Amino acid sequence: MTDPAANASIDHVLIEDRLFPPPAEFTADAIIRSEQQYQDMYQRAKDDPEAFWREEANEHLHWFEPFGDVLQWDAPHAKWFVGGKTNASYNCLDAHVAAGRGDRTAIIWEGEPGDTRTLTYRQLLSEVCKAAAALKELGVQQGDVVSIYMPMTPELAITMLACARIGAIHSVIFAGFSAESIADRNNDASAKLMVTSDGLHRRGKVLELKKTVDEALAKSPTVQKCLVLRRTGQDDVPMTEGRDVWWHDIVDGQSDDLPAEPLDSETTLFILYTSGSTGKPKGIRHTTAGYNLWAKRTFQWVFDHHEDDIYWCTADCGWITGHSYIVYGPLAAGATCLMYEGAPNYPAEDRFWELVEKYQVTILYTAPTAIRAFIKWGDQHVDKHDLSSLRLLGSVGEGINPEAWMWYHRKIGNEKCPIVDTWWQTETGGIMMSPLPGITATKPGSCTRPLPGVVPVIVDEAGNDVDAEHGGMLLMGQPWPGMLRGIWGDEDRFVDQYWSAVPGKYLTGDNARKDGDGYYWIMGRIDDVINVSGHRLSTIEVESALVSHDAVCEAAVVGRPDDLKGQAIAAFVTVADVEPNEELRNELRQHVRKQIGALAQPDDIRFTATLPKTRSGKIMRRLLRDVASGREVVGDTSTLEDLSALAKLREED
Ligand code: 6R9
């Protein structure tokens, strides 16, 4: 028998009708400043992608040798800019120096202890050449995998670009992962070299990275050498003779002139491991030309980049956001980027705002998890600083609840900065859906419309298109230059996971709804849908209703089995400045009922001090599902930020 709800769409229950048109002053000076301009680009990219991308690639990348075909598409395998030769490090560095922009500032860096460093494009190029020469001296060749486990220092970006320069493949591992996770990634990728540092500064303490790396290297037989940056300067750093080399011993003395290797467009630029909800992490593979072009152009379109901008993306290079919007996008566009090493609440909760004021940041790109933390910490930290340099705000990583959006808009943007809520994934290489700040009237909680080249499709579980105003699975109907080219060493999983739901179309794993204005609303992961009495509800809508109550900072909503309704709704809630009690619990139930209806009213509400999150700040609803249903927590927990968060939740049972 078929389940009557099996091919149902997802019910949409949250009404959000606030609309924020771009300020006229912003539009007047914007790169994309008319709706017509967007429509023309969008239609051309959709109807004649080859002509559109040929022009884009010729204009925006440097070619040592021209490409022939724009696209060879043998679904799900794409080759972009076939036979051309380029180099991502050249596009990010040499191109600017050659164009007389070598003295522009590329990176303004601040360490957590307050030390600073500024690098012009010319200086960054020299450093990258030296590092590339050192990699070669250490035996790294084109196609070799280099694992990078480093703090957010300029040398992290330098190492990535040095790999790109010689055609080595970088695999950046966030410097918070355990020895076990590093070894897994080294082994999966057969990494040849590891780059790390003695330690890193985090909230005033030193974390000894090299010791963790040593433990990992004991279980990483393919790694032959380890390059070690001195960052924190402690003296008892274990160095293994014949394997470990100090950065200052081998990099500093190299020549600063090492030409970028002309590389085939489809040369693997990097792999980046991302956790599947179950099973082992997968190495998402991106290639040189398509990815670099996508990162650069989406950066320019979405962030409306102008020469005098000071741009700050608060992500870590250990995530795709850092790859695309700290390194490859902004540097290819010649931007001046602030890079910060440490925590947002060290030495105090106003560190970000202090940095914005000090460096006169104009564009700020951060994540909902950070925004919700700032709200919890209180407005007094923001009020201490002059944030008037800001002109544009961005959000990425999770859906931003409308109330968090409103706070960002009022408190940080002073009601004058457009907010770009950017939806994308490690797999997509760069932003796919986002407002264009000069033209798109924004709606809190919506990532609005697709960028040129992006053709979203929404289907129900049977693969049929769903009507506007209903939610379903989000797919991409057309290949785009920044798309992943595979999962490292696992072709079956690549085909199975992304290309099997509707053959030839990319399955994102998220649900979404398109509203009557053609705006998209992400409704959370496919696996997170809650089925209450045959109604399929999106977690994020119920969460947003909870967050719109004054007492609530964060909410995570999951389904748990229920004999009567199929699933019942369980909510985990963090509150600020109030005593969580039965009265508040009832009030929250009533609040959700009033906001979105009786159907969505949570059956259980648990107050908790923290929610389990991934190290990049995403709520792990999968774990909460197990907690809510009283099951043993199963599956991969290696990306969990703080294991104690989970333990506490279980205690609170
Ligand atoms: C860039 C990045 C991808 C998943 C994605 C979705 C969620 C990211 C979002 C968003 C709603 C947004 N996500 N941005 N959901 N609105 N603006 O985060 O990549 O770490 O691979 O995560 O994150 O669920 O599928 P990645």
Short mmCIF file of all heavy atoms in Angstrom, two decimals, residues 247-300:
data_model
loop_
_atom_site.label_atom_id
_atom_site.label_comp_id
_atom_site.label_asym_id
_atom_site.label_seq_id
_atom_site.Cartn_x
_atom_site.Cartn_y
_atom_site.Cartn_z
N TRP A 247 58.13 26.13 8.97
CA TRP A 247 57.78 27.07 7.89
C TRP A 247 58.92 28.07 7.68
O TRP A 247 59.40 28.28 6.56
CB TRP A 247 56.48 27.79 8.27
CG TRP A 247 55.96 28.78 7.27
CD1 TRP A 247 56.46 30.04 7.07
CD2 TRP A 247 54.87 28.61 6.37
NE1 TRP A 247 55.71 30.67 6.08
CE2 TRP A 247 54.73 29.82 5.64
CE3 TRP A 247 53.97 27.56 6.11
CZ2 TRP A 247 53.74 30.01 4.67
CZ3 TRP A 247 52.99 27.76 5.15
CH2 TRP A 247 52.90 28.96 4.44
N HIS A 248 59.40 28.68 8.79
CA HIS A 248 60.42 29.73 8.63
C HIS A 248 61.75 29.16 8.13
O HIS A 248 62.56 29.87 7.57
CB HIS A 248 60.62 30.53 9.92
CG HIS A 248 60.84 29.68 11.13
ND1 HIS A 248 59.85 29.37 12.02
CD2 HIS A 248 61.94 29.06 11.60
CE1 HIS A 248 60.32 28.59 12.98
NE2 HIS A 248 61.59 28.39 12.74
N ASP A 249 61.98 27.87 8.32
CA ASP A 249 63.23 27.28 7.82
C ASP A 249 63.18 27.01 6.33
O ASP A 249 64.20 27.04 5.66
CB ASP A 249 63.53 25.96 8.54
CG ASP A 249 64.04 26.19 9.95
OD1 ASP A 249 64.51 27.33 10.22
OD2 ASP A 249 63.95 25.28 10.79
N ILE A 250 62.01 26.74 5.81
CA ILE A 250 61.98 26.31 4.40
C ILE A 250 61.26 27.30 3.48
O ILE A 250 61.56 27.36 2.29
CB ILE A 250 61.40 24.88 4.25
CG1 ILE A 250 61.62 24.36 2.82
CG2 ILE A 250 59.94 24.80 4.60
CD1 ILE A 250 61.48 22.89 2.67
N VAL A 251 60.35 28.09 4.01
CA VAL A 251 59.59 28.99 3.14
C VAL A 251 60.31 30.34 2.98
O VAL A 251 60.48 30.83 1.86
CB VAL A 251 58.16 29.23 3.68
CG1 VAL A 251 57.42 30.25 2.81
CG2 VAL A 251 57.38 27.92 3.74
N ASP A 252 60.75 30.88 4.11
CA ASP A 252 61.24 32.27 4.09
C ASP A 252 62.37 32.51 3.10
O ASP A 252 62.44 33.58 2.49
CB ASP A 252 61.66 32.71 5.50
CG ASP A 252 60.44 32.84 6.41
OD1 ASP A 252 59.31 32.67 5.90
OD2 ASP A 252 60.60 33.09 7.61
N GLY A 253 63.26 31.54 2.90
CA GLY A 253 64.42 31.76 2.05
C GLY A 253 64.17 31.49 0.56
O GLY A 253 65.08 31.64 -0.26
N GLN A 254 62.97 31.11 0.20
CA GLN A 254 62.71 30.77 -1.21
C GLN A 254 62.63 32.02 -2.08
O GLN A 254 62.36 33.12 -1.59
CB GLN A 254 61.38 30.02 -1.33
CG GLN A 254 61.30 28.72 -0.56
CD GLN A 254 62.05 27.57 -1.22
OE1 GLN A 254 62.44 27.65 -2.40
NE2 GLN A 254 62.28 26.51 -0.46
N SER A 255 62.79 31.82 -3.36
CA SER A 255 62.63 32.93 -4.31
C SER A 255 61.15 33.31 -4.36
O SER A 255 60.27 32.46 -4.23
CB SER A 255 63.09 32.47 -5.70
OG SER A 255 62.32 33.10 -6.69
N ASP A 256 60.92 34.62 -4.55
CA ASP A 256 59.51 35.03 -4.57
C ASP A 256 59.00 35.16 -6.00
O ASP A 256 58.05 35.87 -6.28
CB ASP A 256 59.31 36.33 -3.79
CG ASP A 256 60.07 37.48 -4.40
OD1 ASP A 256 60.77 37.25 -5.41
OD2 ASP A 256 59.96 38.59 -3.86
N ASP A 257 59.66 34.42 -6.90
CA ASP A 257 59.19 34.44 -8.27
C ASP A 257 59.02 33.01 -8.76
O ASP A 257 60.00 32.34 -9.11
CB ASP A 257 60.21 35.22 -9.13
CG ASP A 257 59.78 35.27 -10.58
OD1 ASP A 257 58.58 35.05 -10.85
OD2 ASP A 257 60.65 35.51 -11.45
N LEU A 258 57.81 32.53 -8.74
CA LEU A 258 57.56 31.19 -9.24
C LEU A 258 56.29 31.26 -10.09
O LEU A 258 55.20 31.44 -9.57
CB LEU A 258 57.37 30.21 -8.07
CG LEU A 258 57.18 28.75 -8.48
CD1 LEU A 258 58.12 27.85 -7.72
CD2 LEU A 258 55.75 28.28 -8.31
N PRO A 259 56.45 31.19 -11.42
CA PRO A 259 55.30 31.38 -12.30
C PRO A 259 54.19 30.38 -12.02
O PRO A 259 54.47 29.22 -11.70
CB PRO A 259 55.89 31.17 -13.70
CG PRO A 259 57.36 31.26 -13.55
CD PRO A 259 57.70 30.90 -12.15
N ALA A 260 52.96 30.85 -12.15
CA ALA A 260 51.81 29.97 -11.96
C ALA A 260 51.77 28.95 -13.10
O ALA A 260 51.98 29.29 -14.26
CB ALA A 260 50.53 30.78 -11.96
N GLU A 261 51.50 27.72 -12.74
CA GLU A 261 51.45 26.63 -13.71
C GLU A 261 50.16 26.73 -14.54
O GLU A 261 49.07 26.78 -13.97
CB GLU A 261 51.43 25.33 -12.89
CG GLU A 261 51.58 24.06 -13.66
CD GLU A 261 52.96 23.88 -14.26
OE1 GLU A 261 53.95 24.34 -13.64
OE2 GLU A 261 53.03 23.30 -15.35
N PRO A 262 50.28 26.77 -15.87
CA PRO A 262 49.04 26.73 -16.67
C PRO A 262 48.36 25.38 -16.48
O PRO A 262 48.96 24.34 -16.76
CB PRO A 262 49.53 26.90 -18.11
CG PRO A 262 50.91 27.48 -17.99
CD PRO A 262 51.48 26.92 -16.73
N LEU A 263 47.13 25.38 -15.96
CA LEU A 263 46.45 24.13 -15.63
C LEU A 263 45.18 23.99 -16.44
O LEU A 263 44.46 24.96 -16.66
CB LEU A 263 46.09 24.11 -14.14
CG LEU A 263 47.25 24.18 -13.15
CD1 LEU A 263 46.73 24.40 -11.74
CD2 LEU A 263 48.10 22.91 -13.22
N ASP A 264 44.90 22.76 -16.81
CA ASP A 264 43.66 22.48 -17.53
C ASP A 264 42.47 22.95 -16.67
O ASP A 264 42.47 22.81 -15.45
CB ASP A 264 43.56 20.98 -17.79
CG ASP A 264 42.35 20.67 -18.64
OD1 ASP A 264 41.25 20.46 -18.08
OD2 ASP A 264 42.50 20.67 -19.87
N SER A 265 41.45 23.49 -17.33
CA SER A 265 40.26 23.99 -16.63
C SER A 265 39.72 23.02 -15.59
O SER A 265 39.27 23.41 -14.52
CB SER A 265 39.12 24.23 -17.63
OG SER A 265 39.45 25.24 -18.52
N GLU A 266 39.72 21.73 -15.93
CA GLU A 266 39.11 20.75 -15.04
C GLU A 266 40.09 20.13 -14.05
O GLU A 266 39.80 19.11 -13.43
CB GLU A 266 38.40 19.67 -15.86
CG GLU A 266 37.09 20.16 -16.49
CD GLU A 266 36.02 20.53 -15.46
OE1 GLU A 266 36.05 20.01 -14.33
OE2 GLU A 266 35.16 21.38 -15.79
N THR A 267 41.27 20.72 -13.88
CA THR A 267 42.21 20.25 -12.85
C THR A 267 41.55 20.43 -11.49
O THR A 267 41.01 21.50 -11.19
CB THR A 267 43.49 21.11 -12.88
OG1 THR A 267 44.02 21.08 -14.19
CG2 THR A 267 44.52 20.59 -11.89
N THR A 268 41.63 19.40 -10.65
CA THR A 268 41.04 19.51 -9.31
C THR A 268 41.76 20.61 -8.54
O THR A 268 42.98 20.59 -8.41
CB THR A 268 41.14 18.17 -8.56
OG1 THR A 268 40.45 17.18 -9.31
CG2 THR A 268 40.53 18.27 -7.17
N LEU A 269 40.99 21.57 -8.05
CA LEU A 269 41.56 22.66 -7.26
C LEU A 269 41.61 22.28 -5.79
O LEU A 269 42.61 22.48 -5.11
CB LEU A 269 40.72 23.93 -7.46
CG LEU A 269 41.09 25.18 -6.67
CD1 LEU A 269 42.50 25.65 -7.02
CD2 LEU A 269 40.08 26.30 -6.93
N PHE A 270 40.51 21.73 -5.31
CA PHE A 270 40.52 21.29 -3.90
C PHE A 270 39.46 20.23 -3.67
O PHE A 270 38.55 20.04 -4.49
CB PHE A 270 40.28 22.47 -2.96
CG PHE A 270 38.94 23.15 -3.06
CD1 PHE A 270 37.84 22.66 -2.36
CD2 PHE A 270 38.78 24.30 -3.83
CE1 PHE A 270 36.60 23.29 -2.44
CE2 PHE A 270 37.54 24.94 -3.90
CZ PHE A 270 36.45 24.44 -3.21
N ILE A 271 39.65 19.54 -2.54
CA ILE A 271 38.54 18.75 -2.02
C ILE A 271 38.25 19.30 -0.63
O ILE A 271 39.13 19.81 0.06
CB ILE A 271 38.84 17.24 -1.97
CG1 ILE A 271 40.18 16.96 -1.31
CG2 ILE A 271 38.82 16.62 -3.33
CD1 ILE A 271 40.55 15.48 -1.32
N LEU A 272 37.01 19.25 -0.26
CA LEU A 272 36.61 19.75 1.05
C LEU A 272 35.63 18.74 1.62
O LEU A 272 34.62 18.42 0.98
CB LEU A 272 35.98 21.13 0.92
CG LEU A 272 35.55 21.79 2.23
CD1 LEU A 272 36.73 21.97 3.18
CD2 LEU A 272 34.91 23.16 1.95
N TYR A 273 35.97 18.25 2.81
CA TYR A 273 35.12 17.22 3.41
C TYR A 273 33.92 17.84 4.08
O TYR A 273 34.03 18.83 4.80
CB TYR A 273 35.93 16.38 4.41
CG TYR A 273 36.81 15.41 3.66
CD1 TYR A 273 38.08 15.78 3.22
CD2 TYR A 273 36.32 14.17 3.30
CE1 TYR A 273 38.87 14.91 2.48
CE2 TYR A 273 37.10 13.29 2.56
CZ TYR A 273 38.36 13.66 2.15
OH TYR A 273 39.11 12.80 1.40
N THR A 274 32.77 17.27 3.82
CA THR A 274 31.56 17.72 4.47
C THR A 274 30.86 16.49 4.98
O THR A 274 30.96 15.41 4.39
CB THR A 274 30.69 18.55 3.50
OG1 THR A 274 29.38 18.69 4.05
CG2 THR A 274 30.56 17.90 2.14
N SER A 275 30.18 16.63 6.11
CA SER A 275 29.61 15.44 6.72
C SER A 275 28.29 15.14 6.05
O SER A 275 27.47 16.02 5.85
CB SER A 275 29.39 15.67 8.20
OG SER A 275 28.52 16.76 8.36
N GLY A 276 28.11 13.93 5.71
CA GLY A 276 26.77 13.48 5.33
C GLY A 276 26.01 13.34 6.64
O GLY A 276 26.63 13.36 7.70
N SER A 277 24.69 13.22 6.60
CA SER A 277 23.98 13.10 7.87
C SER A 277 24.31 11.77 8.53
O SER A 277 24.31 11.64 9.74
CB SER A 277 22.48 13.28 7.68
OG SER A 277 22.04 12.41 6.67
N THR A 278 24.59 10.77 7.71
CA THR A 278 25.09 9.52 8.28
C THR A 278 26.32 9.13 7.49
O THR A 278 26.60 9.71 6.44
CB THR A 278 24.06 8.39 8.13
OG1 THR A 278 23.61 8.40 6.78
CG2 THR A 278 22.88 8.58 9.05
N GLY A 279 27.02 8.15 7.97
CA GLY A 279 28.16 7.65 7.22
C GLY A 279 29.35 8.56 7.28
O GLY A 279 29.34 9.58 7.96
N LYS A 280 30.37 8.20 6.55
CA LYS A 280 31.62 8.94 6.67
C LYS A 280 31.57 10.24 5.86
O LYS A 280 30.82 10.34 4.88
CB LYS A 280 32.79 8.06 6.28
CG LYS A 280 32.85 7.70 4.82
CD LYS A 280 34.09 6.85 4.56
CE LYS A 280 34.16 6.38 3.15
NZ LYS A 280 34.99 6.93 2.19
N PRO A 281 32.38 11.22 6.26
CA PRO A 281 32.41 12.48 5.53
C PRO A 281 32.82 12.26 4.08
O PRO A 281 33.57 11.33 3.76
CB PRO A 281 33.50 13.28 6.24
CG PRO A 281 33.78 12.59 7.51
CD PRO A 281 33.31 11.18 7.38
N LYS A 282 32.30 13.11 3.22
CA LYS A 282 32.61 12.95 1.80
C LYS A 282 33.46 14.12 1.33
O LYS A 282 33.21 15.27 1.71
CB LYS A 282 31.32 12.83 1.00
CG LYS A 282 30.26 13.80 1.45
CD LYS A 282 28.89 13.53 0.87
CE LYS A 282 28.00 14.63 1.43
NZ LYS A 282 26.63 14.51 1.35
N GLY A 283 34.43 13.81 0.48
CA GLY A 283 35.33 14.84 -0.04
C GLY A 283 34.73 15.44 -1.31
O GLY A 283 34.79 14.85 -2.38
N ILE A 284 34.14 16.62 -1.17
CA ILE A 284 33.52 17.27 -2.32
C ILE A 284 34.63 17.85 -3.20
O ILE A 284 35.51 18.56 -2.72
CB ILE A 284 32.56 18.40 -1.86
CG1 ILE A 284 31.49 17.83 -0.92
CG2 ILE A 284 31.95 19.11 -3.07
CD1 ILE A 284 30.60 16.78 -1.53
N ARG A 285 34.57 17.53 -4.50
CA ARG A 285 35.66 17.90 -5.40
C ARG A 285 35.26 19.06 -6.30
O ARG A 285 34.23 19.00 -6.97
CB ARG A 285 36.03 16.68 -6.27
CG ARG A 285 37.26 16.86 -7.13
CD ARG A 285 37.69 15.53 -7.74
NE ARG A 285 36.83 15.13 -8.85
CZ ARG A 285 36.98 15.55 -10.11
NH1 ARG A 285 37.99 16.36 -10.42
NH2 ARG A 285 36.16 15.14 -11.06
N HIS A 286 36.08 20.10 -6.28
CA HIS A 286 35.87 21.24 -7.16
C HIS A 286 37.08 21.42 -8.08
O HIS A 286 38.20 21.08 -7.71
CB HIS A 286 35.65 22.52 -6.35
CG HIS A 286 34.26 22.62 -5.79
ND1 HIS A 286 33.17 22.88 -6.58
CD2 HIS A 286 33.78 22.45 -4.53
CE1 HIS A 286 32.07 22.89 -5.83
NE2 HIS A 286 32.41 22.62 -4.59
N THR A 287 36.81 21.98 -9.27
CA THR A 287 37.89 22.12 -10.24
C THR A 287 38.19 23.60 -10.52
O THR A 287 37.49 24.48 -10.06
CB THR A 287 37.55 21.36 -11.54
OG1 THR A 287 36.33 21.88 -12.06
CG2 THR A 287 37.41 19.87 -11.29
N THR A 288 39.24 23.82 -11.28
CA THR A 288 39.87 25.14 -11.34
C THR A 288 39.02 26.24 -11.98
O THR A 288 38.64 27.20 -11.30
CB THR A 288 41.22 25.01 -12.10
OG1 THR A 288 42.04 24.09 -11.36
CG2 THR A 288 41.93 26.34 -12.22
N ALA A 289 38.71 26.13 -13.25
CA ALA A 289 38.15 27.29 -13.96
C ALA A 289 36.72 27.60 -13.55
O ALA A 289 36.40 28.73 -13.17
CB ALA A 289 38.24 27.06 -15.47
N GLY A 290 35.85 26.59 -13.61
CA GLY A 290 34.43 26.83 -13.33
C GLY A 290 34.24 27.35 -11.92
O GLY A 290 33.51 28.32 -11.69
N TYR A 291 34.90 26.72 -10.97
CA TYR A 291 34.76 27.14 -9.57
C TYR A 291 35.26 28.57 -9.37
O TYR A 291 34.61 29.39 -8.72
CB TYR A 291 35.53 26.17 -8.65
CG TYR A 291 35.65 26.72 -7.24
CD1 TYR A 291 34.60 26.58 -6.34
CD2 TYR A 291 36.78 27.44 -6.84
CE1 TYR A 291 34.68 27.13 -5.06
CE2 TYR A 291 36.86 28.00 -5.58
CZ TYR A 291 35.81 27.83 -4.69
OH TYR A 291 35.89 28.38 -3.44
N ASN A 292 36.42 28.87 -9.92
CA ASN A 292 37.01 30.19 -9.70
C ASN A 292 36.13 31.29 -10.31
O ASN A 292 35.90 32.34 -9.71
CB ASN A 292 38.42 30.23 -10.31
CG ASN A 292 39.30 31.34 -9.73
OD1 ASN A 292 40.40 31.56 -10.20
ND2 ASN A 292 38.84 32.04 -8.72
N LEU A 293 35.59 31.00 -11.48
CA LEU A 293 34.70 31.96 -12.13
C LEU A 293 33.43 32.16 -11.31
O LEU A 293 32.98 33.29 -11.09
CB LEU A 293 34.35 31.47 -13.54
CG LEU A 293 33.45 32.39 -14.36
CD1 LEU A 293 34.15 33.71 -14.67
CD2 LEU A 293 33.00 31.72 -15.67
N TRP A 294 32.87 31.05 -10.84
CA TRP A 294 31.63 31.12 -10.07
C TRP A 294 31.85 31.91 -8.77
O TRP A 294 31.04 32.77 -8.40
CB TRP A 294 31.13 29.70 -9.76
CG TRP A 294 29.75 29.66 -9.21
CD1 TRP A 294 29.39 29.36 -7.93
CD2 TRP A 294 28.52 29.93 -9.90
NE1 TRP A 294 28.03 29.43 -7.78
CE2 TRP A 294 27.47 29.77 -8.97
CE3 TRP A 294 28.21 30.30 -11.22
CZ2 TRP A 294 26.13 29.97 -9.31
CZ3 TRP A 294 26.88 30.49 -11.55
CH2 TRP A 294 25.86 30.34 -10.61
N ALA A 295 32.96 31.62 -8.07
CA ALA A 295 33.25 32.31 -6.81
C ALA A 295 33.42 33.82 -7.06
O ALA A 295 32.89 34.66 -6.33
CB ALA A 295 34.50 31.73 -6.16
N LYS A 296 34.13 34.15 -8.14
CA LYS A 296 34.40 35.56 -8.42
C LYS A 296 33.12 36.32 -8.80
O LYS A 296 32.82 37.38 -8.25
CB LYS A 296 35.41 35.66 -9.58
CG LYS A 296 35.67 37.09 -10.02
CD LYS A 296 36.72 37.16 -11.15
CE LYS A 296 36.97 38.62 -11.53
NZ LYS A 296 37.97 38.76 -12.58
N ARG A 297 32.37 35.77 -9.73
CA ARG A 297 31.20 36.50 -10.24
C ARG A 297 30.09 36.58 -9.21
O ARG A 297 29.47 37.63 -9.05
CB ARG A 297 30.70 35.85 -11.54
CG ARG A 297 31.68 35.96 -12.68
CD ARG A 297 32.03 37.41 -12.99
NE ARG A 297 30.99 38.06 -13.77
CZ ARG A 297 30.70 39.36 -13.72
NH1 ARG A 297 31.35 40.15 -12.88
NH2 ARG A 297 29.75 39.86 -14.47
N THR A 298 29.87 35.49 -8.47
CA THR A 298 28.82 35.56 -7.45
C THR A 298 29.22 36.57 -6.37
O THR A 298 28.39 37.30 -5.85
CB THR A 298 28.53 34.17 -6.83
OG1 THR A 298 29.76 33.63 -6.34
CG2 THR A 298 27.92 33.23 -7.86
N PHE A 299 30.52 36.61 -6.05
CA PHE A 299 30.99 37.62 -5.07
C PHE A 299 30.67 39.02 -5.58
O PHE A 299 30.16 39.87 -4.85
CB PHE A 299 32.50 37.45 -4.83
CG PHE A 299 33.08 38.57 -4.00
CD1 PHE A 299 32.89 38.60 -2.63
CD2 PHE A 299 33.78 39.61 -4.61
CE1 PHE A 299 33.39 39.65 -1.86
CE2 PHE A 299 34.27 40.66 -3.85
CZ PHE A 299 34.09 40.69 -2.48
N GLN A 300 30.98 39.28 -6.83
CA GLN A 300 30.77 40.63 -7.38
C GLN A 300 29.29 40.98 -7.45
O GLN A 300 28.89 42.09 -7.11
CB GLN A 300 31.42 40.74 -8.76
CG GLN A 300 32.94 40.72 -8.68
CD GLN A 300 33.61 40.63 -10.03
OE1 GLN A 300 33.17 39.89 -10.91
NE2 GLN A 300 34.70 41.37 -10.21
#
